[in-house]
């Protein structure tokens, strides 16, 4: 996407995000935005553009590290519960409890029993959140094989991105198909209370604009300073359990 066009479209969307935050604060609403997806899919970049002009008192980004021994001995969802938004807050999860259906599943960090239990429990858990008037939006950012390879390679040569390198990167390409299978199983088994938004993220700028437009449109009852326009349907799709990934994604 052209850089000048991107900047021209991003500015009014960020003004609308400020209006969204004012609405959340004034009406004591709670918004949770979950970002999942492949390594290097651009989750950090999307989150950065969403929070760039938000009040830090009412906006939090949560990116938890490896679980501690206590975390592993606790109810699986427990480590995230304390980070959920309270009234007037927007919280963005850079990865979430869906680690169990993605990285943990593919890398063998959880047992088959733990994985099956997660798929059984996650929709009822999210139903509790939604019933408590928490707005839950979930985005899965996906990449083509070639684009992921290029981005992972770029991390090695850019000194400003070396902090993103992790041991998981080393096997991301090797396990590309396994991650596709895990993604497909997750999309087929979850999303009753809070549907997935699946995003084709090869174009970083188009991805950011589509996600922000969708996020703004998903919170009802707000009059925004600028017209929204729909998220590009070639970039973002709200998922139904019966949808086939091959109808939208290339792999």
């Amino acid at each position: 996407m052209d850089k000048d066009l991107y900047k021209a479209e991003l500015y009014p969307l960020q003004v609308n995000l400020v209006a969204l935050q004012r609405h959340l604060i004034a009406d004591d609403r709670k918004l949770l935005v979950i970002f999942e997806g492949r390594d290097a899919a651009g989750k950090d970049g999307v989150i950065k553009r969403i929070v760039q002009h938000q009040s830090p008192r009412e906006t939090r980004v949560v990116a938890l590290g490896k679980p501690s021994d206590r975390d592993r001995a606790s109810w699986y969802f427990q480590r995230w519960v304390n980070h959920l938004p309270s009234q007037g807050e927007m919280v963005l999860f850079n990865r979430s409890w869906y680690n169990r259906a993605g990285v943990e599943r593919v890398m063998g960090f959880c047992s088959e029993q733990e994985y099956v239990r997660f798929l059984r429990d996650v929709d009822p858990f999210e139903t509790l959140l939604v019933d408590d008037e928490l707005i839950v939006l979930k985005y899965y950012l996906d990449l083509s094989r070639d684009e992921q390879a290029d981005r992972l390679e770029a991390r090695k040569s850019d000194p400003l991105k070396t902090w993103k390198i992790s041991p998981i990167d080393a096997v991301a390409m090797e396990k590309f198909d396994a991650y596709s299978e895990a993604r497909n199983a997750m999309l087929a088994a979850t999303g009753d209370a809070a549907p997935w938004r699946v995003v084709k993220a090869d174009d970083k700028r188009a991805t950011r604009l589509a996600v922000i437009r969708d996020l703004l449109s998903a919170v009802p009852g707000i009059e925004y300073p600028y017209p929204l326009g729909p998220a590009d349907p070639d970039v973002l799709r709200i998922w139904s359990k019966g949808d086939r990934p091959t109808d939208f994604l290339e792999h």
Side-chain angles (χ1 to χ4, degrees):
M1 184 178 190
D2 177 77
K3 185 176 182 179
D4 290 337
L5 176 60
Y6 164 70
K7 288 184 175 181
E9 293 192 23
L10 179 63
Y11 175 79
L13 292 176
Q14 290 185 319
V15 173
N16 286 344
L17 283 169
V18 174
L20 168 63
Q21 182 165 62
R22 290 184 180 277
H23 169 81
L24 295 174
I25 295 169
D27 286 12
D28 289 332
R29 302 184 77 178
K30 300 174 290 186
L31 175 59
L32 174 65
V33 187
I34 292 173
F35 287 97
E36 292 289 343
R38 295 188 190 269
D39 292 324
K43 296 179 290 296
D44 293 326
V46 174
I47 291 170
K48 179 179 178 180
R49 273 68 186 184
I50 291 172
V51 305
Q52 191 170 6
H53 302 288
Q54 302 291 288
S55 165
R57 290 184 297 276
E58 288 83 19
T59 307
R60 289 185 287 117
V61 177
V62 176
L64 300 184
K66 292 173 60 175
S68 65
D69 290 342
R70 187 177 187 280
D71 291 331
R72 285 189 285 267
S74 302
W75 176 49
Y76 178 69
F77 297 95
Q78 185 169 323
R79 66 193 300 242
W80 285 281
V81 168
N82 287 338
H83 299 283
L84 293 173
S86 60
Q87 290 180 337
E89 282 190 325
M90 174 169 62
V91 174
L92 302 95
F93 280 4
N94 189 343
R95 297 202 182 274
S96 68
W97 41 80
Y98 283 99
N99 274 346
R100 178 133 296 175
V103 173
E104 292 188 20
R105 170 66 168 169
V106 172
M107 299 299 294
F109 296 157
C110 67
S111 68
E112 183 69 16
Q113 182 182 28
E114 289 171 329
Y115 169 73
V116 171
R117 188 185 305 132
F118 170 79
L119 293 183
R120 180 197 67 194
D121 292 346
V122 66
D123 274 343
F125 172 67
E126 290 177 359
T127 297
L128 290 173
L129 302 182
V130 173
D131 287 348
D132 195 46
E133 300 184 339
L134 177 63
I135 302 168
V136 181
L137 302 178
K138 302 186 311 196
Y139 295 92
Y140 186 92
L141 276 57
D142 204 57
L143 279 177
S144 66
R145 192 186 302 264
D146 289 345
E147 182 65 18
Q148 186 181 42
D150 289 345
R151 292 188 190 179
L152 290 174
E153 186 63 30
R155 287 181 177 180
K156 300 176 184 178
S157 58
D158 187 341
L160 296 178
K161 295 181 179 180
T162 53
W163 65 270
K164 294 184 177 184
I165 297 174
S166 74
I168 302 298
D169 289 356
V171 294
M173 297 306 305
E174 175 187 330
K175 294 184 176 293
F176 188 92
D177 291 335
Y179 275 108
S180 294
E181 293 173 6
R183 174 204 64 199
N184 296 349
M186 181 189 74
L187 294 175
T190 67
D192 283 341
W196 282 102
R197 279 110 157 112
V198 178
V199 186
K200 291 196 235 182
D202 277 22
D203 185 325
K204 291 182 179 182
R205 294 167 184 160
T207 296
R208 295 164 188 168
L209 296 178
V211 169
I212 295 174
R213 282 198 176 95
D214 181 81
L215 189 161
L216 292 166
S217 300
V219 182
I222 307 176
E223 292 187 8
Y224 290 111
Y226 290 95
L228 289 178
D232 186 342
D234 291 329
V235 176
L236 186 149
R237 176 186 288 190
I238 299 177
W239 209 254
S240 298
K241 282 187 175 180
D243 291 343
R244 295 187 306 172
T246 52
D247 291 339
F248 184 61
L249 302 170
E250 296 178 3
H251 39 269

